[in-house]
Amino acid sequence: MLSVSRRVLMAAAFAVALAPAATLPTKAEDLPEIEFLYSPFADYAPFFVAEDLGYFDEFGVGVTLSPKGNTAETIQMLASGNIEAGAATWASSLFNALDRGATVSIIATSARMPNTVPSPSPFMVSQTAWDEGIRTVADLKGKRIGIPGPGGFGMYSVAKALEKGGLTIDDVEPVYLPPPATAAAFANGGLEAGWSIEPFAHQLEKQGLGRRLVEDHTFGTELGLIAFNQDFVEENEDAVVRFMAAYLKAARQLDNGGWEDDKILEIVSNYTGTEPDALRGIPYTVRSEDGAIDMESVREQEEFFRQRGALEYEGNSDIDSVYRRDLLQRANELLASKK
């Protein structure tokens, strides 16, 4: 049975959810703190900007940004309630978890590949391999290819790149390692090619360790999503809406010239460990203006993992049952009301 204090808190939260916008709490201390899991990649820049430029505070929600591991770990921590929120890629582990009934709520896109080159996530060949005569994707048959993991966006992206040369994942030797480790593997001859993402792709080029081989393989592909623990969402919808409004404000700022701002580059540098000058001018991921997810792109990735034998179920996963479009709409409305 709920304690008196617990009932009071839940009643208060319910009253807040029904209250008109003008009477909602405006201070971060009135809402629960949100711990958000991130990776030190440039595509997480909106969260860095929202935190350091005070957008989370502006919308009255306290946020702590914490570094994370892979998608499987993120979803597990969210589903178990050990963390409130995080971003993850569309991956076989996520699809399987959703089919098993993982208690997560998906709110919005976190990043999408642009329809232009240079790509923020290119398929690269090591300079050593290039010098040894590997100049096309077809030349990589039987070679060692770096992939972040066996069931995430990195594998999907590599597979799409290999298609350009008539190859599949089964035609190469996958080597699973995180993007920061690619530099050493390229330098010591441990890989002939591999997946990368900014700012690491630019670093490989700058250090003379790698070259972009394919960049037009994932145009418009959904890269990641923002998810919350489902129980947290049900009890704290207002906090989620305010978090998302701050995120959308930062995302729109970045997608409309923010990367030209030295102050923003300094912020992203602090989280990614990349010097501001190295970030200046790099290609970056984009997002739909309203944060909506392109479900057709998601289903294409789901089908890829099914063909790989990585899914534990038949048919489409029931994403719609956990995709809280209503909260995303409220976040957009809240942001619009601030203008």
Side-chain angles (χ1 to χ4, degrees):
M1 179 176 294
L2 291 175
S3 66
V4 173
S5 60
R6 177 64 169 165
R7 289 198 300 270
V8 169
L9 286 173
M10 291 184 68
F14 182 71
V16 165
L18 296 179
T23 63
L24 289 175
T26 57
K27 296 181 180 180
E29 57 263 30
D30 295 323
L31 294 170
E33 184 87 8
I34 295 174
E35 186 171 3
F36 180 86
L37 297 179
Y38 76 91
S39 292
F41 304 158
D43 55 304
Y44 282 79
F47 307 103
F48 309 151
V49 171
E51 172 66 12
D52 283 31
L53 291 188
Y55 298 162
F56 290 130
D57 290 339
E58 175 186 342
F59 285 93
V61 60
V63 176
T64 298
L65 301 182
S66 300
K68 72 180 185 73
N70 56 30
T71 288
E73 178 186 341
T74 299
I75 297 304
Q76 182 179 17
M77 292 184 69
L78 288 174
S80 65
N82 289 323
I83 207 79
E84 288 80 33
T89 63
W90 294 97
S92 59
S93 59
L94 171 61
F95 291 124
N96 285 326
L98 292 177
D99 183 70
R100 291 192 298 267
T103 54
V104 298
S105 293
I106 295 172
I107 311 297
T109 182
S110 65
R112 178 183 297 174
M113 299 299 294
N115 293 316
T116 57
V117 296
S119 170
S121 182
F123 181 68
M124 303 187 72
V125 60
S126 75
Q127 185 63 48
T128 298
W130 179 273
D131 293 340
E132 292 176 351
I134 294 180
R135 303 300 176 86
T136 68
V137 173
D139 296 330
L140 291 170
K141 187 172 184 178
K143 303 301 183 182
R144 295 160 298 187
I145 308 298
I147 305 175
F153 173 79
M155 172 165 275
Y156 175 78
S157 180
V158 167
K160 299 298 288 186
L162 292 175
E163 285 180 8
K164 298 288 185 177
L167 303 179
T168 70
I169 296 290
D170 296 328
D171 294 316
V172 299
E173 180 184 342
V175 178
Y176 301 117
L177 77 174
T182 301
F186 273 11
N188 64 26
L191 293 176
E192 278 74 38
W195 180 84
S196 191
I197 194 167
E198 296 295 0
F200 305 108
H202 181 70
Q203 292 172 353
L204 289 172
E205 291 179 294
K206 186 176 181 181
Q207 296 167 9
L209 295 174
R211 290 171 172 260
R212 293 168 182 260
L213 190 63
V214 184
E215 299 193 78
D216 61 349
H217 52 306
T218 53
F219 281 169
T221 300
E222 285 288 341
L223 171 58
L225 62 132
I226 300 171
F228 278 73
N229 171 267
Q230 200 169 77
D231 291 339
F232 179 86
V233 171
E234 291 177 357
E235 296 177 8
N236 302 283
E237 286 190 357
D238 187 59
V240 176
V241 168
R242 290 174 180 272
F243 175 97
M244 292 306 305
Y247 159 78
L248 288 170
K249 179 174 181 177
R252 292 178 188 179
Q253 183 176 353
L254 284 162
D255 291 345
N256 289 279
W259 282 100
E260 304 301 320
D261 187 330
D262 289 343
K263 184 176 181 179
I264 285 180
L265 292 180
E266 186 67 37
I267 291 171
V268 178
S269 171
N270 291 336
Y271 287 91
T272 62
T274 304
E275 291 299 320
D277 286 344
L279 291 170
R280 187 171 286 104
I282 67 170
Y284 55 93
T285 53
V286 296
R287 288 140 292 272
S288 54
E289 185 177 30
D290 62 356
I293 297 168
D294 180 355
M295 291 306 300
E296 182 177 351
S297 173
V298 172
R299 294 305 184 191
E300 288 177 3
Q301 294 178 65
E302 183 180 25
E303 182 57 28
F304 165 76
F305 292 120
R306 172 168 291 109
Q307 294 300 319
R308 293 287 305 166
L311 300 186
E312 303 166 351
Y313 59 92
E314 300 295 330
N316 290 336
S317 58
D318 189 12
I319 298 173
D320 286 336
S321 67
V322 297
Y323 182 14
R324 295 296 303 272
R325 293 178 176 87
D326 58 323
L327 298 185
L328 181 58
Q329 180 179 347
R330 285 175 56 188
N332 276 279
E333 293 170 351
L334 177 59
L335 180 56
S337 72
K338 290 282 189 177
K339 295 181 179 180

